[in-house]
Amino acid sequence: MCMVIFAPLFAIFAFATCGGYSGGLRLSVDCVNKTDSDLSIDIAFAYPFRLHQVTFEVPTCEGKEREKLALTGDFSSSAEFFVTVAVFAFLYSLAATVVYIFFQNKYRENNRGPFIDFIVTVVFSFLWLVGSSAWAKGLSDVKVATDPKEVLLLMSACKQSSNKCMAVHSPVMSSLNTSVVFGFLNFILWAGNIWFVFKETGWHSSGQRYLPDPMEKHASSYNQGRYNQDSYGSGAGYSQQASLGLSSDEFGQQSSGPASFANPI
């Protein structure tokens, strides 16, 4: 039930906080010649973080000439893979919810439904782990590539000590950090659900079928002991009765001897 409730929500939070991101930073270049300065250089970037395609123009502090620069790095592969896993996990969670609620009999028929559900759960657990780890590394690289101090090093005007270059504001990465957190939460949720899905398959029931029950084994040993005791008791009683019968016969023979001897007299 927890899987049905939280899996779609966690998947939505994961791809929404990553796929819907857009941010930027602002820089300023104060040249010695104030007319060449530019105190508001805006650099915007967004998902899928192909930063090498993000271009911007900055002053050179050498007259009106400006240079065109671009950010460094392409981190689209890890971001797109993460969002793709989140979208497909969301769709599968919705489909599984419908099957659990409305098609429970079909789900359990021939053990096919639990078997498919188990395989898909294992696969998505692995994909969430790989996707979250890759995106966490990609996000770390995005932060480095969009760090205002690193971007200022790309400008030729900022390499001259007479010019003053500074960052007005840095990009806000809180939503991207949240996406990484939800990625690993999805992994924990799907990995934890593996055991519950496995219990629905025939593998779990067949494994329990052949396990010996300790209580039954103990009861069997106890009954066997009682049977041996009863057998021993009945055998001993029979032997005792037989010996007593023989003694009575012998006693009768011995007592009849003197009686027959006394009669002729």
Side-chain angles (χ1 to χ4, degrees), residues 30-103:
D30 189 6
C31 302
V32 176
N33 186 0
K34 301 301 182 181
T35 58
D36 299 334
S37 300
D38 190 346
L39 303 180
S40 180
I41 304 173
D42 292 321
I43 305 173
F45 60 94
Y47 173 85
F49 307 103
R50 294 186 177 95
L51 300 183
H52 66 288
Q53 298 179 357
V54 178
T55 59
F56 55 97
E57 292 185 351
V58 298
T60 59
C61 294
E62 297 176 356
K64 296 298 182 179
E65 184 181 356
R66 298 175 70 87
E67 63 177 343
K68 188 176 183 179
L69 301 174
L71 297 177
T72 58
D74 182 6
F75 311 101
S76 59
S77 58
S78 60
E80 289 176 341
F81 179 75
F82 178 81
V83 171
T84 301
V85 172
V87 171
F88 279 101
F90 170 73
L91 295 177
Y92 178 78
S93 299
L94 289 183
T97 302
V98 173
V99 172
Y100 291 159
I101 296 175
F102 299 104
F103 302 98

Side-chain angles (χ1 to χ4, degrees), residues 176-198:
L176 296 181
N177 294 331
T178 304
S179 67
V180 174
V181 172
F182 274 106
F184 284 105
L185 285 177
N186 275 285
F187 163 68
I188 295 173
L189 179 64
W190 284 80
N193 193 53
I194 291 176
W195 167 246
F196 297 100
V197 179
F198 176 74

Side-chain angles (χ1 to χ4, degrees), residues 69 147-148 171 223:
L69 301 174
D147 186 359
N223 293 332

